[in-house]
Amino acid sequence: MRGGRRGRRSAARCGCVVWAWLITEILSGCSSLPAAREMGDMALLRTMGVDSAPAGVAVTGSTGPRAKGLQTEGEPSLVLTAEKPSLSGACLAMQGQSDSYVFFGYVDQLLVGEELARSGVQPVLDYFAQDVELGLGAQLWLVRGATAREAVSSGGEEGADSRLETLQNDSKMGIAAISRTAGEVYTDLLELGAAFVPALTPAGDEIAVLYENGYGVLKGDTLAGFMDGEAARGLELLAGGSAADILEAEGTEASVKIISSHTTSGLDFRNGALAALKINCRVEARLAEYRRPLNSGELERLQREIEDRERARLEEALEQLRAWGADCTGLGAKAAMSHPGQWQGIRADWPEWFAKTPVKIQVQVRIRE
C-alpha cells in the first residue's frame, strides 16, 4: 500500500514537473506552439482567391467588414494580396501587409481564377488539405472571365463575403446553383477523375457584384469548359441538385413549379459487352398558379411538356459532358453497384466508354395539384 502511494505521488510530482517545463517553454518563447493573441489584434480572413501570376501564384484575402476582431468591428473590408512562387510563400507575405496578425483559420470561401483552373487546381486543393489553419470545408467557386482577385475585391466596402453567403444559402433552398465544398470537389477528382464547380462572374458599373454564371467542369484537375443555360440545368438534374424552376404552360394559363428531381443511372450489358448507359430522371412538380382547374387531358399534356423539356436539358448536358469524357456526376460509379464485376472490367477506361456508349434517357413527371 505504501509503495503504491509513493508511486502515485512520484507520478504526480513528475506530471507537475512536465507541466511546469511546458509552461516555462511557452512563456520563454521557445515552444513551437503559437502565441496567444487578442481577437482585436487579428485580421480574420473569410474569403481567399487564388490566381496564376508571373511570379507563380497570386493570393488575395478579404476579412469582410465584421470579421476583423472586436476592436475593429464595423470597419470596411480589409483586402490583402501577394504574389510568390508558392501558395505558402504568398500567404506568409500577406502577414507583412497588415498591422494585425493575419489568421487563415476562418476562411470559408475559396475562389479560383479561370486561368489557374486551366493550368490545374490540384496544388490549391492539396494546400488547403495540408495547411493547419485552412481546410477542405471551404466553399469552392470558379471565377469565369475574370480573376479571383477581382472577385474577392468586389462588393465595395461590404466585400464579397455576404454575397457568397447569400448564394450558398440560396443553394440550400434550391433557388441558386449547386454549391460545393473544396472537399467535395477534391473527392470527386480523386474518385471520378472529374468534378463540377459553380461559376461566378463579377459585373457592375460602379461597384462590381458577383453573379452566377453556370458551372465549370474539371477533368483531371484542369478546366475542360463551362456549362450554362439549358446545359447547366441538365447538369443539375444529373446531380439531383437545384431544381427550382417555373414552366409557363401554353394554352392553359397555368404555371408549374418544379419541386425536386432525382436521377438514377444503370448499365445495360448484352453478351458481356456494355450496350447502353440508362438514365432515369423523376421530377416532382406542382401547379403554382391557375385561373381554373385543369382537366385530365390538359394535365397529361402539361406533364408531357415538362418531360420533353427536362429530357432536352439532360440530352444537352450529356452531349457536352460526353464530348469532354467527363462523368462529373458519377453516373458510371452509381450504376456500377448493380454490376460490380462487369464494372471492374471497364472502370479504368470509363471516360472513353462514357464518351462512346449510347445513352437511353427516361423522364417521369408527377404533377401535384
Side-chain angles (χ1 to χ4, degrees):
M1 290 292 293
R2 291 180 180 177
R5 290 174 182 171
R6 291 195 189 99
R8 288 193 292 270
R9 291 171 182 171
S10 177
R13 284 195 294 270
C14 289
C16 291
V17 171
V18 171
W19 279 110
W21 175 81
L22 285 174
I23 292 172
T24 301
E25 289 293 301
I26 293 173
L27 292 177
S28 65
C30 297
S31 172
S32 60
L33 296 175
R37 291 180 180 270
E38 296 293 336
M39 289 291 290
D41 191 35
M42 301 174 70
L44 310 180
L45 297 187
R46 290 290 309 277
T47 303
M48 182 171 167
V50 186
D51 292 298
S52 295
V57 63
V59 176
T60 305
S62 170
T63 61
R66 299 178 180 85
K68 293 175 57 183
L70 299 178
Q71 296 177 6
T72 54
E73 184 175 354
E75 289 190 3
S77 175
L78 174 65
V79 178
L80 306 173
T81 184
E83 294 185 17
K84 289 291 179 179
S86 66
L87 266 169
S88 56
C91 290
L92 181 61
M94 292 169 66
Q95 290 289 354
Q97 300 178 13
S98 172
D99 295 335
S100 302
Y101 175 77
V102 180
F103 183 62
F104 293 86
Y106 279 81
V107 171
D108 56 4
Q109 306 287 347
L110 170 60
L111 290 82
V112 175
E114 180 176 340
E115 184 179 349
L116 186 144
R118 294 192 183 280
S119 62
V121 301
Q122 188 79 30
V124 178
L125 297 177
D126 286 342
Y127 185 73
F128 266 68
Q130 298 165 8
D131 187 82
V132 294
E133 290 185 1
L134 298 170
L136 292 173
Q139 297 294 316
L140 179 61
W141 313 84
L142 286 183
V143 183
R144 183 176 181 180
T147 64
R149 177 181 297 181
E150 292 173 310
V152 173
S153 303
S154 66
E157 292 187 352
E158 291 296 318
D161 305 74
S162 59
R163 175 60 175 164
L164 293 171
E165 290 179 359
T166 298
L167 292 173
Q168 182 181 341
N169 292 331
D170 287 350
S171 173
K172 295 177 181 178
M173 295 187 291
I175 56 177
I178 302 173
S179 62
R180 311 210 70 201
T181 66
E184 290 171 334
V185 174
Y186 201 22
T187 300
D188 283 353
L189 291 178
L190 294 174
E191 296 183 353
L192 306 176
F196 67 94
V197 186
L200 302 173
T201 297
D205 296 330
E206 297 182 1
I207 299 178
V209 178
L210 294 175
Y211 292 95
E212 296 178 272
N213 200 353
Y215 296 91
V217 176
L218 303 172
K219 183 180 180 182
D221 72 327
T222 61
L223 180 64
F226 291 99
M227 300 178 68
D228 47 28
E230 294 298 280
R233 283 292 189 178
L235 177 63
E236 292 172 350
L237 288 172
L238 291 173
S242 180
D245 195 11
I246 297 291
L247 173 64
E248 307 293 343
E250 297 182 5
T252 60
E253 296 181 333
S255 298
V256 180
K257 182 176 182 179
I258 305 299
I259 302 173
S260 64
S261 64
H262 179 68
T263 300
T264 58
S265 56
L267 299 175
D268 184 10
F269 286 92
R270 296 181 183 178
N271 299 323
L274 180 60
L277 171 65
K278 298 184 294 184
I279 307 295
N280 185 8
C281 179
R282 296 193 299 273
V283 177
E284 292 282 339
R286 66 175 176 82
L287 289 174
E289 295 180 60
Y290 54 93
R291 295 186 178 181
R292 57 176 177 79
L294 303 184
N295 58 45
S296 59
E298 290 173 325
L299 283 173
E300 290 178 4
R301 187 167 63 253
L302 182 56
Q303 179 178 320
R304 289 194 300 269
E305 187 176 344
I306 299 175
E307 289 174 349
D308 291 342
R309 187 192 64 171
E310 303 301 76
R311 184 180 295 105
R313 287 175 167 177
L314 288 168
E315 290 173 346
E316 189 168 343
L318 284 167
E319 181 181 3
Q320 186 63 77
L321 294 176
R322 280 155 54 83
W324 291 329
D327 182 12
C328 61
T329 61
L331 297 173
K334 295 173 185 176
M337 295 181 182
S338 58
H339 301 276
Q342 293 161 309
W343 169 250
Q344 292 304 317
I346 63 174
R347 180 178 181 179
D349 301 318
W350 175 243
E352 290 75 19
W353 285 102
F354 178 63
K356 67 182 182 181
T357 302
V359 178
K360 297 180 179 178
I361 301 175
Q362 182 178 11
V363 179
Q364 300 170 316
V365 174
R366 177 188 174 191
I367 301 177
R368 300 176 182 176
E369 298 185 48

